[in-house]
Amino acid sequence: MKYECKTISKSVVDIIQKEKGSKFIGYAYYVRNEGDVKKRLEEIKSIHPSATHHCYAYRLGFAGKKYRANDDGEPNGTAGLPIYNQLLSFDYTFTLVVVVRYYGGTKLGVSGLIKAYKNCAEETLQNAKTKILEKKERHLLVFPYSSQGDAMRIIDRYNGDMLTQSYMAECEIEVEVSKRKSKEFLEHLEAFQDIEIYECD
């Protein structure tokens, strides 16, 4: 199982390259899901409504198994795939790269298009800063006030992030911990019979 992956820490915008009159503009975004991808593509199209093509590729998931490459009207395999190959080369996932093209009147040919889209995507990702994402797991802990100290010590020991806290008749804490440490974290909690553990979606 893959517990961590590489993505970009900040959006990269307006990386411009020119080739025989055509202008290529590169963008890279951190995206969590296909909904994020759709929003970013709509945003790009609103910024560049008169562009000839809006070509893109993305990878999602810690292993990058969900992906798509789109040529947006360019000859098959000349735009989306070269962009996608740069995502593979940089080993980025949860990342969308869009290359916008304004046609300049001179055809570049298949090899020229592949090179242009590849180069623009490559320079765009070269301008990105890398962030390591760690796979997390969420659990809801329910316990009496008398067990609060024990629960807090274990949460702290495993660097858990407390997302929500409720103190009514009992304490309820939604906590997020590293997937890598999750099994050990739960084993420590289960040693305390008063602490109930529920897995969150």
Side-chain angles (χ1 to χ4, degrees), residues 16 18 22 30 62 68 123 130 132 135 143 151 156 196:
I16 298 172
K18 293 182 180 178
S22 282
Y30 164 67
F62 276 79
R68 188 176 177 197
E123 187 181 347
T130 300
I132 302 298
K135 203 167 202 175
F143 48 86
D156 187 56
E196 296 178 48

Side-chain angles (χ1 to χ4, degrees), residues 58-191:
Y58 63 80
R59 293 179 77 207
L60 296 172
F62 276 79
K65 289 184 177 178
K66 183 177 275 191
Y67 62 89
R68 188 176 177 197
N70 190 300
D71 295 311
D72 192 34
E74 293 282 31
N76 189 37
T78 61
L81 191 57
I83 297 169
Y84 174 71
N85 284 337
Q86 288 309 301
L87 285 171
L88 292 178
S89 178
F90 282 80
D91 194 25
Y92 282 143
T93 184
F94 293 106
T95 306
L96 165 70
V97 175
V98 184
V99 177
V100 175
R101 182 190 181 191
Y102 286 89
Y103 181 56
T106 302
K107 290 187 177 181
L108 302 180
V110 169
S111 61
L113 285 171
I114 291 171
K115 183 180 177 183
Y117 280 103
K118 179 253 183 192
N119 288 347
C120 190
E122 182 179 33
E123 187 181 347
T124 300
L125 291 175
Q126 282 173 345
N127 278 273
K129 290 186 178 178
T130 300
K131 175 172 74 174
I132 302 298
L133 281 185
E134 192 173 16
K135 203 167 202 175
K136 300 285 184 80
E137 209 172 73
R138 291 184 182 188
H139 301 279
L140 177 66
L141 311 183
V142 180
F143 48 86
Y145 283 89
S146 58
S147 296
Q148 188 174 1
D150 295 323
M152 290 303 185
R153 273 193 296 275
I154 296 169
I155 291 168
D156 187 56
R157 179 175 176 178
Y158 290 94
N159 298 314
D161 292 321
M162 291 186 286
L163 306 177
T164 62
Q165 299 176 57
S166 174
Y167 299 97
M168 303 295 282
E170 292 185 301
C171 304
E172 291 189 12
I173 296 177
E174 188 178 351
V175 63
E176 190 173 64
V177 293
S178 163
K179 179 82 172 175
R180 193 193 300 273
K181 300 176 181 176
S182 180
K183 184 180 177 184
E184 196 178 331
F185 170 72
L186 293 175
E187 285 172 353
H188 271 80
L189 286 172
E190 285 163 359

